[in-house]
Amino acid sequence: MENKKTVLVIGAGPAGISAAKSLANDNISVTVLEKEDTFGGNINNWAKLFPNFKDAGEVKSSLIQNFVNNQNIKIVYNKKVTELKKHNQKWIANTSDGEVFESDAAILSTGFKVFDAQYKEELGYGIYPNVITSVEFEKMYKNGKILTVQGSVPKKIAFLNCVGSRDEKVGNHYCSRICCIAAVKQAIEFKELYPQSEAFIFYMDIRMAGQFYEELYRKSQEKHGVVYIRGRISETSSTIDKKVQIKAEDTLAATPLRMTVDMLVLMIGVEASKSTTILSKQNNIDGPYGFAKSKDIHTADNYSNENGLFLAGSCKRPLTLTETIADGKSAAISVVEYLKQTK
Amino acid sequence: MEEFTKKYWKDYQKEIADDNFYYERSCIRQSFFPGSEAAFLKILRDILGKNIIDDPNQHTCTGIGYHSDIVPFDTTMTVVARIFSLMKDHGVNNFIPSCVTSFGIFNEVVETWNHSPEEYEKTKLFLKQATGRDFEIPQNISHASDIIYKYRKELKEKMPYRLVNRNTGKPLRVVEHIGCHYSKLFAKKSEGGMEFPKVLVGMIEEWGGEVIDYPERRHCCGFGFRQYLVMANRGYSVANTKKKFESMQPYKPDFIVANCPGCTMFMDRWQYTIAEMEGKTYDDNKMGIPVLTYEEMAGLLLGFNPWDLGLQLHQVQVEPLLDKIGIPYDPKDKYVGKSGNFLGEPEKPENLVTVYGK
Ligand code: SF4
């Protein structure tokens, strides 16, 4: 009988799915350990994707083709890996329920979590009900309506960029890379639903580095009349009729600004997931901000400094979905290279 | 919503000492609200049975001079060290400033010493050279309002009155204002954190009142040293206070309470100024919204005589509030001094309605 090589993939988000499929294609036996009871990771939080408004469900469906019923892939749900270590050239994963998995190589595809907006107390998330996060906006949009807690259509909505990113106070200096374009997307979606309403985006810089992002940013202004204000919101509070009062500085006009909106959407940033931080620390591959550190960002970005432990997707840093899927495949190629050498 | 706030308040709970205090009086509290500090000492000594030193040798913390760029920080550190050396003489090590500006100053100085030991050594040397004295850093620095907050439940047991409208049975609606230097310099030194400190909320809710969360709740009271010290800037001071009044008006507050003497002073006196300048008041009876210090609030509920608390020195008249709560007072005693002599009535404003000089 053929002695098949085995690989553990930790996390069944887009990076893990993409890596597992590529490995399976190479006739490698893959076990995917997912802590939730379903696959897809953060893709499940999206209704439509930037920059082309493609339905996230459709993208997920095509992503999972040859994943779920692949004879080379075993997916195990509700398995939270609490310990990952190398022993006698094998990778051993212990799960919270006491199971042990063993393989020739392991891929960390433990992804990201979103910033907990409650830490930015001054923004009133969790205190004022009409202050919501971009993830909650997306959920509402999936259900076809964006409504205030009072059940009315917001006449004025504001989006605040960089919540939990580029922020010394919360200790996250980095840019999360996806929230600027997500705000543009969500503002357009809002204006398409309610053309009579007004939408404002508060930003520090508008970072439109992806293909078609800049065009979308332009379209949001020219076609949909989204208003961009350069300045960070310093304080929110509730008015007597439960609207959200915002204080900010318009740094282009060099003036303080006070505005009342019906709803404020916080564009929450990307942080390393707990599993990412714990498992990379255990293997001394932890990088800044709790993300996992690759061997070389230019030439060996899917390798870690631990032989046989590979990195895929946003466990390394904030990535777009497009990049994440590609990175999963790239990680699989690196694993195959490694397994060939260790024959 | 409630759940979240509770969680955060738990995170931000700070250590508040429970006995053997050195009390640092406030230059402005004892001038503007002279009954407040006496009430605080009485509450601590007679009601709570605490040991608290009220030292006649104490002096300024330099706060206002420091924030006005008149006193350099080295001087401030040395002056603060001298106050700490006085505390050492009395053998206690829990420090309670009455003023919120001072609270900020003491914390800023101690934080500086903790972070820069060379500054600490320098201050020790300066104090020794100037006065021959030694000092120790207090074990605990809590604001005087923290102490009342800590013992709010015990005090409630002793209170014959509640923050309840005796005619309607409904909780009084209270605007609370926290001095910026209580929470905004060092969030961890504030009970409840930077944005939503709990120190006054805790007292108000414990004693039966309801806190108003109005849009400009966290806005400056208008004190802001440079805004009023420079006469040309005073318009900024009034403008800030006005913004707060306009924002709280729709909620119909029964009164305002603050933990900083500067805030109490400006929110009280600027109501007179705005009424006289623009004919505008923010209540239904053209009398203004009464503004209390937290010591006055506690003292009233404990049954202290309103005139012993110094409430006759407030610009906005407090009688309607006393009537709402059901606190008895003798109008004839209002302007009778400690000597028993009638001191005369203040001048009557043109627009702001008062109960005197009818
Ligand atoms: S992508 Fe935009 S919103 Fe997100 S952190 Fe970067 S600059 Fe801020």
Side-chain angles (χ1 to χ4, degrees), chain A residues 127-128 237-240, chain B residues 1 174 196 211-215 217 251:
Chain A
I127 301 174
Y128 306 123
S237 41
S238 175
T239 62
I240 200 157
Chain B
M1 180 161 143
V174 190
F196 301 99
V211 174
I212 294 172
D213 188 13
Y214 64 108
R217 181 174 174 185
Y251 297 80

Side-chain angles (χ1 to χ4, degrees), chain A residues 160-166 174-181 183 202-208 232 267-269:
Chain A
L160 171 63
N161 283 3
C162 301
V163 175
S165 315
R166 306 179 66 197
Y174 58 90
C175 165
S176 289
R177 298 183 66 236
I178 59 170
C179 12
C180 271
I181 183 65
F202 288 84
Y203 69 98
M204 290 205 284
D205 307 284
I206 289 288
R207 298 191 165 174
M208 292 291 137
R232 225 166 175 161
M267 304 307 297
I268 43 179

Side-chain angles (χ1 to χ4, degrees), chain A residues 118 127 236-237 240 247 258, chain B residues 1 4 215-216 218-219 251:
Chain A
Q118 294 184 80
I127 301 174
T236 65
S237 41
I240 200 157
K247 284 188 185 174
R258 190 169 59 165
Chain B
M1 180 161 143
F4 155 69
E216 297 297 350
R218 287 170 277 165
H219 194 80
Y251 297 80

